[in-house]
Amino acid sequence: MNQETRPQILVVDDTLENLDILISYLKSDYKVQVAVNGETALQLAAMEPQPDLIVLDILMPGMNGYDVCSKLKESEQTRDIPVIFATAIQDESCESMGLALGAVDFVRKPFDLGILKLRIRNQLELKKYRDRLEDLVVAKTAQLESAKNHAVAGDRAKSEFLSVISHELRTPLNGIIGFSNLLIDTPLDSKQKEMLNIVLTLGYALSELVSDIIDFVRSEGEQVRAEKKSFLLAELVNELVVKLAPKALEKGVEFKHVVDFKDTMLVRGDRKKLFLILKHLLVNAVKFTHTGSVFFRVERKILNDNSDGICFFIQDTGVGIPKEKQEIIFQRFTQLEPSKDRRHGGLGLGLTICRQYTQLLGGDLKLESVEGQGTRVSVTFLLPEVSGG
């Protein structure tokens, strides 16, 4: 073994005869340092290069071996150096005490030098593997941190790209829809009106997709905040019903809604984000229901802390969601149907927006569904009633 690559052993013993025996026996395989007291041992252990292992006597004048071991384990610099206690004490309790302090092994005097060398070798092997494992963990952690930083940067770049593209699309799209609406009021034959209605339908569909992307980018923004203002709860519910009920009726699906509060009830919360959450949930209910009904109920609820809550229930008789997909559908760009079989439009962002905004507003969103039978969603928010409502 190369002289410079040999492990370094620190032997601590106040008996010179013991030191001479150990030096002569170990020097062929190890670089051996010696200390005759605890204070010197601590100094040598803290110096570079540090010992790879310490053989430590217990009974020494001044600072005994237990005290030295305690000091070694208290220091971040020396705590990982393996310690093998060596003693002539026959009391079994001294071994348990030494191991409790952090020693890795225990040998008794007079030494069986062959056993001692084997125990030293075993502990050095364990230390080598432990150090290698720690290096691997550090390297892997650095790789993961780098990958995470790249992923965060990538997500940020994608969000910025989506934001720019969405806003750039919205301007010409608004023009297409606006001029199409103007054109449809001019004299046209039936074929022209039919084609123009198709243009408008596709334009509105594309506009909804662009709005979803913009809402999604905003929901993931680091600066997004909940805005609390007073608003009439009935107005919000009516706006949702006016927007969604006609779409349900077009499909032959019954749309029912029930409320248990007064039309004049004022609540305080983030109306815009609440509207987006409920809109996406109702759009999904209508989209995936082909026969039967969509039922929208709003009721007051006393929360666990006795504060005023409002619970919104949406029940449909649609296709339902397989149990194994009931969590992943909240992930962004996730669709219930495989892309090759898709019958429904959308980017798979609606439920992602719902979850992120619900968490932002401190709400609670629950989903129950049976494939082929329908879905029930409830979302509850703290919406305290404003005095005078």
Side-chain angles (χ1 to χ4, degrees):
M1 185 180 293
N2 186 289
Q3 182 76 11
E4 294 305 315
T5 60
R6 292 184 302 167
Q8 182 168 294
I9 307 295
L10 172 60
V11 180
V12 187
D13 199 310
D14 64 325
T15 304
L16 296 179
E17 181 182 353
N18 289 335
L19 292 177
D20 289 339
I21 293 172
L22 292 175
I23 291 171
S24 63
Y25 191 72
L26 298 174
K27 66 181 181 181
S28 61
D29 296 312
Y30 306 109
K31 291 183 287 184
V32 182
Q33 287 182 300
V34 297
V36 295
N37 57 58
E39 291 80 2
T40 304
L42 291 174
Q43 292 172 5
L44 292 174
M47 293 175 61
E48 294 293 340
Q50 287 185 299
D52 295 291
L53 183 142
I54 299 173
V55 178
L56 179 60
D57 188 21
I58 292 179
L59 294 178
M60 295 184 295
M63 183 181 292
N64 64 36
Y66 295 137
D67 295 333
V68 174
C69 187
S70 295
K71 294 288 185 183
L72 289 169
K73 299 307 174 183
E74 287 172 4
S75 170
E76 186 175 349
Q77 187 179 5
T78 58
R79 67 176 53 159
D80 293 328
I81 302 173
V83 174
I84 297 178
F85 271 123
T87 185
I89 302 174
Q90 297 303 311
D91 186 353
E92 295 294 331
S93 65
C94 68
E95 182 172 350
S96 61
M97 185 181 300
L99 295 174
L101 290 171
V104 296
D105 210 340
F106 207 93
V107 294
R108 297 194 181 277
K109 301 176 183 178
F111 296 120
D112 182 324
L113 294 174
I115 294 295
L116 176 62
K117 183 177 279 191
L118 286 173
R119 294 192 175 192
I120 290 174
R121 187 193 67 183
N122 290 342
Q123 292 302 329
L124 289 174
E125 283 293 311
L126 288 172
K127 182 178 185 296
K128 181 173 67 174
Y129 289 126
R130 186 186 69 224
D131 291 346
R132 186 180 303 169
L133 180 60
E134 289 177 353
D135 290 342
L136 288 173
V137 169
V138 170
K140 183 57 69 174
T141 301
Q143 290 176 7
L144 292 173
E145 188 66 27
S146 176
K148 176 186 174 184
N149 291 337
H150 278 92
V152 169
D155 277 348
R156 187 177 295 114
K158 283 187 287 185
S159 294
E160 291 173 357
F161 173 76
L162 288 172
S163 180
V164 171
I165 290 297
S166 300
H167 284 92
E168 290 300 316
L169 285 173
R170 175 171 275 184
T171 300
L173 188 56
N174 286 342
I176 291 170
I177 293 173
F179 281 110
S180 296
N181 277 315
L182 290 174
L183 186 58
I184 205 167
D185 292 331
T186 63
L188 299 170
D189 61 37
S190 60
K191 189 66 175 178
Q192 290 171 326
K193 282 194 174 184
E194 180 184 351
M195 289 188 291
L196 195 55
N197 277 320
I198 292 173
V199 171
L200 278 169
T201 299
L202 295 176
Y204 284 126
L206 184 55
S207 180
E208 286 287 332
L209 294 179
V210 171
S211 294
D212 283 353
I213 295 174
I214 292 173
D215 291 340
F216 167 70
V217 172
R218 286 173 178 166
S219 73
E220 290 211 324
E222 294 179 359
Q223 303 303 317
V224 65
R225 297 286 187 272
E227 299 177 1
K228 294 184 177 181
K229 297 180 180 179
S230 300
F231 63 91
L232 281 168
L233 186 58
E235 284 187 357
L236 179 140
V237 172
N238 289 338
E239 186 178 347
L240 288 164
V241 172
V242 168
K243 185 176 183 66
L244 275 301
K247 295 184 178 182
L249 294 176
E250 285 176 12
K251 299 178 64 176
V253 173
E254 185 180 7
F255 189 99
K256 299 178 289 186
H257 80 284
V258 174
V259 299
D260 75 344
F261 54 85
K262 296 179 181 179
D263 288 348
T264 56
M265 181 181 176
L266 275 172
V267 295
R268 184 170 178 79
D270 194 320
R271 186 190 192 281
K272 185 175 181 180
K273 294 182 181 64
L274 179 58
F275 179 86
L276 280 173
I277 293 167
L278 297 172
K279 183 196 78 171
H280 283 297
L281 293 175
L282 285 165
V283 164
N284 272 0
V286 172
K287 181 192 296 185
F288 292 101
T289 301
H290 307 301
T291 59
S293 64
V294 172
F295 180 48
F296 180 33
R297 186 171 87 251
V298 186
E299 62 182 38
R300 303 175 71 170
K301 182 177 181 180
I302 303 299
L303 305 181
N304 292 335
D305 60 355
N306 292 323
S307 55
D308 295 329
I310 301 291
C311 190
F312 302 86
F313 294 94
I314 300 168
Q315 174 86 48
D316 66 60
T317 58
V319 298
I321 305 167
K323 192 171 183 63
E324 67 274 11
K325 293 187 177 181
Q326 290 180 16
E327 181 59 30
I328 64 170
I329 58 169
F330 288 96
Q331 298 173 8
R332 56 187 178 177
F333 302 112
T334 299
Q335 295 281 359
L336 183 60
E337 301 169 307
S339 56
K340 62 183 179 64
D341 300 326
R342 285 184 60 195
R343 294 180 297 159
H344 305 93
L347 295 171
L349 293 175
L351 289 178
T352 304
I353 296 168
C354 289
R355 170 165 283 184
Q356 290 179 174
Y357 275 158
T358 297
Q359 291 173 346
L360 175 69
L361 301 182
D364 180 35
L365 191 155
K366 295 179 181 177
L367 181 146
E368 301 171 18
S369 187
V370 178
E371 189 174 6
Q373 297 183 27
T375 301
R376 181 179 187 270
V377 179
S378 67
V379 57
T380 306
F381 295 97
L382 172 64
L383 291 172
E385 184 175 0
V386 178
S387 179

